[in-house]
Amino acid sequence: MKTRVFVTLKGGVLDPQGKAIHHALEGLGFSGINDVRAGKLIELDLADGTSDEDIDAMCSKLLANTVIENYRIEKIG
Amino acid sequence: MKSAVITFPGSNCDRDMAVALEQASGVKPVMLWHRETEIPAGIDLIAVPGGFSYGDYLRSGAMASRSPIMAAVKEAAARGTYVLGVCNGFQVLTESGLLPGALMRNAGIHFVCRDVALTVENNQSAFTSLYQQGEQVVFPVAHHDGNYVADDAVLDRLEGEGRVAFRYAESVNGSARNIAGVLSDKSNVLGMMPHPERAVEAAHGNVDGVRMFKGLVEGLMATA
């Protein structure tokens, strides 16, 4: 069972990497970029029947630091 | 004072920390590998050193904070054992929940490696007792992820409870309220980005760190 976990910085948290990417895109001549936020995509290949609770615990215990990050779980079968 | 220094794969300040502790206490620290599951009996202080544990994979300190030895460090801290986390050690302590907040990428993106001035904000802890309140000291910093972040309620609580031990005298990495080091609620755990163990010998060009280790030896001998 393939599952994707998207980890993103919480709204109010400054994202220095996003800012640098933003700056670099503008340096390449792209315009109209309002904001850039960088995050992580973690792909898990899980045994069938892995419970939602376990997947959520994987996220909250390790994959995301919930002090500064949010996570979203997407099952792709 | 009997101390232990944790070594993770990728730690690189563990030996510097051991030298500083031995110099101050006269006793060689016990070196503990990350796979150990117990802190030996009689240890007064556990040092979590700087470096790039587990290659900073996932987040700085994230993997190390889930290693077997850290469960033992958490138990020891709960019993009142003193814990000092420096640089990556501070990141490990926030990731493990022993200290509040998180350490993010420096606001200016750059790795910062230089001497910085700090103000001693609280000299009532065992870590800071030999410094004057409000004194300015200089410690080296060397980090990429030293930008201390916590929500306003947490920051207000830390300030109100005197748990900000050190504050940068200038903006270094974007840290909230220029916080450089924080204490736990019982003041037995200190995490800080600057390196006191790199300022303990004349050859380092700076001995401001000596008083932290001497203070710990005096304070922990008195309670033993």
Side-chain angles (χ1 to χ4, degrees), chain B residues 204-223:
Chain B
H204 292 156
N206 172 1
V207 292
D208 280 353
V210 169
R211 282 177 289 162
M212 178 173 295
F213 298 101
K214 287 276 183 204
L216 281 165
V217 171
E218 285 180 20
L220 303 195
M221 294 290 258
T223 58

Side-chain angles (χ1 to χ4, degrees), chain B residues 31-52:
Chain B
M31 303 303 285
L32 293 175
W33 183 233
H34 69 122
R35 285 190 190 279
E36 305 274 346
T37 54
E38 278 177 33
I39 307 294
I43 295 291
D44 304 300
L45 171 78
I46 303 164
V48 187
F52 298 88

Side-chain angles (χ1 to χ4, degrees), chain B residues 16-214:
Chain B
D16 303 58
M17 183 64 83
V19 168
L21 286 166
E22 183 174 359
Q23 195 183 81
S25 67
V27 183
K28 233 184 212 327
V30 177
M31 303 303 285
L32 293 175
W33 183 233
H34 69 122
R35 285 190 190 279
E36 305 274 346
T37 54
E38 278 177 33
I39 307 294
I43 295 291
D44 304 300
L45 171 78
I46 303 164
V48 187
F52 298 88
S53 57
Y54 299 85
D56 281 349
Y57 290 174
L58 192 62
R59 296 177 303 276
S60 298
M63 314 302 282
S65 68
R66 276 78 174 174
S67 64
I69 193 68
M70 284 310 297
V73 172
K74 281 199 237 182
E75 283 174 20
R79 289 195 305 268
T81 302
Y82 282 76
V83 179
L84 169 64
V86 170
C87 198
N88 187 223
F90 186 14
Q91 295 159 345
V92 173
L93 296 184
T94 57
E95 279 282 343
S96 67
L98 278 168
L99 292 171
L103 291 145
M104 292 191 51
R105 180 58 35 107
N106 294 342
I109 301 286
H110 294 288
F111 190 99
V112 179
C113 185
R114 62 182 169 91
D115 287 343
V116 299
L118 307 170
T119 308
V120 179
E121 296 284 327
N122 174 353
N123 74 341
Q124 300 298 304
S125 76
F127 302 93
T128 53
S129 61
L130 295 185
Y131 297 98
Q132 301 296 313
Q133 184 78 24
E135 180 184 351
Q136 210 167 85
V137 295
V138 173
F139 290 160
V141 296
H143 60 247
H144 213 168
D145 297 318
N147 180 355
Y148 186 72
V149 174
D151 64 35
D152 281 334
V154 169
L155 294 170
D156 288 344
R157 198 175 76 232
L158 290 175
E159 302 261 17
E161 293 173 356
R163 290 167 55 188
V164 177
F166 294 98
R167 205 186 298 274
Y168 300 111
E170 53 175 314
S171 180
V172 171
N173 49 30
S175 287
R177 305 187 192 179
N178 278 332
I179 290 171
V182 298
L183 291 158
S184 62
D185 54 354
K186 296 196 177 73
S187 292
N188 64 318
V189 180
L190 171 68
M192 59 191 296
M193 290 311 297
H195 288 273
E197 82 283 8
R198 293 191 191 174
V200 296
E201 292 179 20
H204 292 156
N206 172 1
V207 292
D208 280 353
V210 169
R211 282 177 289 162
M212 178 173 295
F213 298 101
K214 287 276 183 204

